Amino acid sequence: MSTTASKRLAGHALVEALVAQGVDTVFGVPGESYLAVLDGFHEHREHIRFIACRQEGGASFMAEAQGKLTGRPGICFVTRGPGATNASIGLHTAFQDSTPMILFIGQVASDQRDREAFQEVDYRQMFGPGTLGFAKWVGEVHDPDRLPEYVARAFHTAMQGRPGPVVLALPEDMLTQATEAPVLPRVEPALAWPAPGALREVRTMLLAAQRPFVIAGGSGWDAASCDALERFAAAWQLPVGCAFRFQDTLDNRHPNYAGDVGIGINPKLARRIAEADLIIAIGARLGEMTTGGYTLLKAPRPEQKLIHVHAGAEELGRVYAADLLLQSSMACAAKALETLSPPASLPWSEWTSQAHADYEANLVHTPVEPLDMAVVIKTVQRLAPEDSVYTNGAGNYSGWLHRFCRYVGLRHHGKTQLAPTSGAMGYGVPAAVAAALLYPDRTAINVAGDGDFLMTGQELATATQYGAGKLISIVVDNGTYGTIRMHQEREYPARVSGTDLFNPDFAALARAYGWRAETITATSQFEPAFAAALASGRPTLLHLKLSSDVITSRTTLGAIRDAAQRRTN
C-alpha cells in the first residue's frame, strides 16, 4: 500500500495501517465505540477481514493464537468497559506466554473523559505495564494524525525483546476525524545476537560438564532457529526437554528429545534435571510450571550450573542467579550456539540416549476400560495429518495430550501446539477456530475438558459462520472440574465441594451450532468416529464420556521434590 494518503477517516487510516503490517485477519466483538473502524474494514474488505466472535474472551484468545501461529501480533478489537474486561483473559495469556498481540479498545469520546461516562475505564490504570501486569505498553491515541505512529510503535513493542501484548485505546471522536497521515512501512523486529565472548564461555562450561541438559521453549522461535537448535543438540549430543506447553520447539521424534518439562512431568525426567550439573535454558522463562514450583531448579541459586538465554533483558536474573546470562532473540540464539565446535568425544552420550529412552518408555501406558484416553490421543496422532494443529485449554484432561502427543516440531510445519502457559481455561476452542480460519488447509484438533469447553463453547458458532471445515473438538466429559477435584481429594479426602458439574448433551449442542457430532463411551468407538470426522470436511465434535474417577493423577510434585532431595543428599 502506498505511503502517501489522501484525507480519510482516522478509523479507515487505522485499517490501512494494519494492512500495511501484513494483517489480513482480525478478531473481535463489534461495538459502537469504534464504528468508524468497522466501516474501514468494509472499505478494505478485499485485503482484510473482521471475524466477529461471540464473546470478547474468545476473540482475545483467537488473537493470542494468531500471534503464536504467525510470530507477528495477533489483532483483537473490543469495545470499552465490559468488552475490555472480557478481553483481559486473552491479554493476560499473551503476557504470560510471551505472545505478540495488540488489543484495540474503543474509548469514550474525549469531551466525556473523567466523568465516569458510559462504560468508561482508564486503560492505563487497568492494564498498566509492568513485570506482573497485562501489557508491555498501554497507549491512548488523541490525535488522528499520530495514529499510524502509534500503530507502528505497538507492533515494534509487541515483537521487540520478550514478545508480548500491547493495548491501544481509541477515543470514539478521534476515529471519526479526518486525517492525511501517511501509512508507515511494515515493522520488523530488531534482532539481538549473543556476544562472542559469552559464546566462548558457553563452550567452556559445556566442556567442563558431565551431565548437561537443555530446556528449550518460549516464544520467538521460527523454523530456521528450531532447525539450528536440532543441529546444536545433535552436534553436542545434548538431551533436550521442552518447557511447559512449548513441546513443538524440538521434534519429539528426535533422538535427543527427553520429554516435556511441565505439569505431569515424567518422574525420571524430573530426576534427570535435578541430577544434571549444567542446565542450558534457551528461550524459557523458567517459570513455576517449568521448574516444578522452583524446586527442579532451586531459586534463586540452583544446585546446577545455569546458562540462561532469553530475548528479554528484564527476564535475565529476575528469578535465578545464573552462572551465565545471554540476551538474544530466539531467531539468533540457536544459530549462534550451533557455531560452537564440539570435541571429538563427549562423556554424556549414554546420558542423552537414556534420556530419550525414558521418554519413549513413558509413552507406554496401562490400559483403562471402557474408554482409554491414552489410546484416544495415540489414535488421533496416527490418523491426523502430520501438520495438524493441536489446541487445549487448562484442566486435568490436558495431561493425556501432553504425555502422549508427539509434536513434530516447529521447523517442519510451523506451530503445532497452541496451549496457554497461563493456565487459562477456555483457550482451546477459540485457538482451534483461529487456526482453522487462518490455515484452512491444515486440520485443527482441540482437546477440551467439559468445564473448559463451556467457558468458550459458543465460539462453535464463529467456526460455522466463517466456514471453518477442518476442525475437530474432542470434549472429555467426566462431570467435574478434574484438576481441582484431584487436589481436593488429596488435601481434603471425602469432602467434595464445588467441583461437580451438570453438563448438557455436548453432541446435541454441537449439532445446534451446525456441527457434526458423535457421543463415544468406549475405546473401540473412537477410531471410526475420528476417521469419519477427518473425512467429512465439516467441523465435528466428539463427546467422550468418562467416569469422574478417571483422571491423569500422578504424584508429580512428589516426584519433583524427591528428585530435588536426592540431589541435595
Side-chain angles (χ1 to χ4, degrees), residues 203-521:
R203 187 175 188 275
T204 298
M205 293 176 69
L206 271 170
L207 293 176
Q210 294 295 312
R211 298 178 305 281
F213 193 91
V214 174
I215 300 176
S219 68
W221 294 88
D222 57 19
S225 55
C226 287
D227 200 14
L229 174 65
E230 287 196 11
R231 291 193 295 268
F232 169 61
W236 283 86
Q237 300 176 38
L238 294 166
V240 181
C242 288
F244 179 54
R245 291 182 170 163
F246 287 103
Q247 290 168 249
D248 59 357
T249 308
L250 184 80
D251 193 323
N252 296 182
R253 302 165 299 184
H254 194 281
N256 293 54
Y257 182 66
D260 63 301
V261 186
I263 296 175
I265 188 172
N266 180 356
K268 290 184 178 180
L269 177 55
R271 184 166 61 249
R272 187 171 301 278
I273 293 171
E275 293 175 351
D277 59 2
L278 174 64
I279 300 292
I280 306 176
I282 311 174
R285 286 198 302 114
L286 298 179
E288 179 186 356
M289 296 298 101
T290 297
T291 63
Y294 306 102
T295 57
L296 281 178
L297 278 71
K298 292 183 179 179
R301 184 66 177 170
E303 299 284 342
Q304 311 92 325
K305 293 285 186 182
L306 175 60
I307 299 172
H308 195 183
V309 186
H310 200 274
E314 74 286 352
E315 191 63 34
L316 294 169
R318 177 177 164 190
V319 176
Y320 287 102
D323 298 274
L324 180 61
L325 301 174
L326 281 77
Q327 184 186 2
S328 175
S329 306
M330 289 306 101
C332 308
K335 294 177 185 177
L337 289 170
E338 74 162 329
T339 65
L340 301 178
S341 56
S345 63
L346 295 162
W348 56 73
S349 298
E350 181 58 31
W351 161 265
T352 300
S353 297
Q354 189 56 53
H356 185 69
D358 290 343
Y359 163 69
E360 294 280 355
N362 196 47
L363 296 174
V364 179
H365 73 288
T366 302
V368 176
E369 295 295 341
L371 182 51
D372 192 327
M373 283 302 302
V375 174
V376 165
I377 299 302
K378 291 178 180 181
T379 301
V380 167
Q381 190 136 59
R382 176 166 50 85
L383 298 181
E386 186 178 85
D387 65 349
S388 295
V389 179
Y390 296 86
T391 77
N392 64 270
N396 191 270
Y397 70 90
S398 65
W400 284 297
L401 187 63
H402 295 342
R403 178 178 173 185
F404 296 110
C405 185
R406 307 188 74 173
Y407 294 93
V408 297
L410 191 155
R411 78 176 185 89
H412 296 288
H413 305 291
K415 287 290 292 181
T416 54
Q417 182 185 35
L418 299 177
T421 69
S422 67
M425 292 182 69
Y427 177 86
V429 170
V433 174
L437 294 176
L438 291 167
Y439 300 110
D441 293 333
R442 297 174 66 181
T443 301
I445 300 169
N446 165 239
V447 181
D450 44 356
D452 179 77
F453 177 86
L454 278 180
M455 292 195 174
T456 52
Q458 68 272 14
E459 301 302 343
L460 268 62
T462 307
T464 303
Q465 178 176 353
Y466 292 97
K470 296 184 176 182
L471 174 55
I472 300 171
S473 184
I474 299 170
V475 179
V476 184
D477 174 9
N478 65 354
T480 184
Y481 286 122
T483 299
I484 311 307
R485 173 67 67 85
M486 179 180 69
H487 292 300
Q488 187 176 64
E489 293 188 352
R490 184 190 63 231
E491 301 294 335
Y492 301 96
R495 295 177 64 83
V496 174
S497 175
T499 50
D500 285 330
L501 296 175
F502 168 79
N503 286 326
D505 181 335
F506 286 103
L509 180 64
R511 293 188 195 103
Y513 282 114
W515 285 44
R516 292 182 67 258
E518 292 189 47
T519 299
I520 295 166
T521 58

Side-chain angles (χ1 to χ4, degrees), residues 53-92:
C53 304
R54 308 311 290 261
Q55 205 259 10
E56 291 89 355
S60 62
F61 277 146
M62 291 186 199
E64 197 279 345
Q66 180 184 30
K68 278 193 172 87
L69 287 166
T70 65
R72 294 184 63 82
I75 305 298
C76 182
F77 277 84
V78 298
T79 196
R80 58 202 179 208
T85 304
N86 283 340
S88 65
I89 188 170
L91 198 69
H92 180 257

Side-chain angles (χ1 to χ4, degrees), residues 19-148:
V19 173
Q21 295 301 327
V23 178
D24 60 12
T25 303
V26 304
F27 302 93
V29 175
E32 70 274 18
S33 58
Y34 66 97
L35 290 176
V37 180
L38 293 172
D39 191 67
F41 286 126
H42 182 271
E43 178 71 16
H44 297 285
R45 60 191 178 277
E46 293 182 1
H47 303 288
I48 192 169
R49 58 179 174 169
F50 179 86
I51 302 296
C53 304
R54 308 311 290 261
Q55 205 259 10
E56 291 89 355
S60 62
F61 277 146
M62 291 186 199
E64 197 279 345
Q66 180 184 30
K68 278 193 172 87
L69 287 166
T70 65
R72 294 184 63 82
I75 305 298
C76 182
F77 277 84
V78 298
T79 196
R80 58 202 179 208
T85 304
N86 283 340
S88 65
I89 188 170
L91 198 69
H92 180 257
T93 299
F95 192 91
Q96 289 225 325
D97 288 40
S98 304
T99 303
M101 175 181 166
I102 303 174
L103 176 66
F104 292 95
I105 305 173
Q107 177 61 297
V108 301
S110 302
D111 61 354
Q112 299 173 7
R113 290 299 307 273
D114 300 322
R115 293 175 170 173
E116 196 181 349
F118 180 61
Q119 299 181 338
E120 181 181 3
V121 172
D122 184 336
Y123 298 109
R124 288 191 177 94
Q125 291 289 326
M126 181 177 179
F127 297 126
T131 56
L132 294 176
F134 279 91
K136 293 182 69 176
W137 173 54
V138 182
E140 186 164 319
V141 188
H142 294 283
D143 182 350
D145 292 337
R146 293 185 63 190
L147 185 56

Side-chain angles (χ1 to χ4, degrees), residues 126-210:
M126 181 177 179
F127 297 126
T131 56
L132 294 176
F134 279 91
K136 293 182 69 176
W137 173 54
V138 182
E140 186 164 319
V141 188
H142 294 283
D143 182 350
D145 292 337
R146 293 185 63 190
L147 185 56
E149 171 198 334
Y150 273 82
V151 173
R153 178 179 171 185
F155 272 80
H156 272 293
T157 304
M159 291 189 288
Q160 297 287 88
R162 174 186 168 185
V166 167
V167 175
L168 278 185
L170 309 167
E172 182 177 353
D173 56 328
M174 182 277 296
L175 293 173
T176 59
Q177 295 176 39
T179 179
E180 293 181 287
V183 175
L184 297 179
R186 178 182 169 98
V187 168
E188 297 293 347
L191 299 179
W193 289 82
L199 287 173
R200 289 193 293 270
E201 195 168 347
V202 171
R203 187 175 188 275
T204 298
M205 293 176 69
L206 271 170
L207 293 176
Q210 294 295 312

